[in-house]
Amino acid sequence: MLSPQKTADILDILQAQGAMRLIGARLTEVDAGVVEIELDFRPELSQQHGYFHAGIIATLVDTAGGCAGATLMPPRSGVLTVEYKLNTMAPGDGERLRARAEVIKAGRTLTITQGKVWVTKGGGETLCAMMQQTLITLPAK
């Protein structure tokens, strides 16, 4: 169970990111080592075929992974992505994206997460992307 303060910290991280505010992402689940973020489709988030742009998909799951890692990091510490790999497996063709990331290994300095992104269309969900990510813990301020 995540403390109310840590939950508030994760919400603060999400709200502090101009990119997340710009695209309209919202936190839908937060627990120790797990974060889920959703995003509704808008034409401004699309690529030339009218699907969610892969960059938007990547941004959403990268942020979910960073927030998932931050749930297990010391209070007031920061988090940065060192690297991530994204595999897209289906077009982001739908009304909403749901990115869910989980911590695989939490370390003192480096944390490994995995994330999945589903696209919702007509009531059904399709797995459209998977990510593996390495995060670094920044010292507490």
Side-chain angles (χ1 to χ4, degrees), residues 39-134:
L39 174 64
D40 293 328
F41 182 82
R42 296 191 330 262
E44 299 85 12
L45 306 177
S46 68
Q47 45 82 291
Q48 71 274 16
H49 300 293
Y51 307 144
F52 277 101
H53 193 284
I56 297 297
I57 293 169
T59 298
L60 197 68
V61 73
D62 171 50
T63 300
C67 288
T71 66
L72 302 179
M73 292 179 182
R76 295 179 308 285
S77 63
V79 59
L80 285 177
T81 300
V82 174
E83 70 163 347
Y84 71 92
K85 179 185 185 333
L86 183 77
N87 291 99
T88 55
M89 300 175 300
D93 181 17
E95 300 101 29
R96 183 175 53 256
L97 292 175
R98 180 171 64 93
R100 181 182 180 82
E102 298 183 24
V103 171
I104 303 305
K105 181 185 184 303
R108 283 188 317 240
T109 304
L110 297 178
T111 295
I112 309 300
T113 73
Q114 287 183 339
K116 294 180 179 179
V117 183
W118 293 268
V119 61
T120 302
K121 184 174 185 177
E125 276 192 324
T126 300
L127 182 63
C128 68
M130 293 182 67
M131 173 203 72
Q132 182 163 311
Q133 176 187 57
T134 305

Side-chain angles (χ1 to χ4, degrees), residues 12-22 63 67:
D12 287 346
I13 289 170
L14 193 71
Q15 291 174 342
Q17 293 186 22
M20 291 295 102
R21 289 193 317 272
L22 178 69
T63 300
C67 288

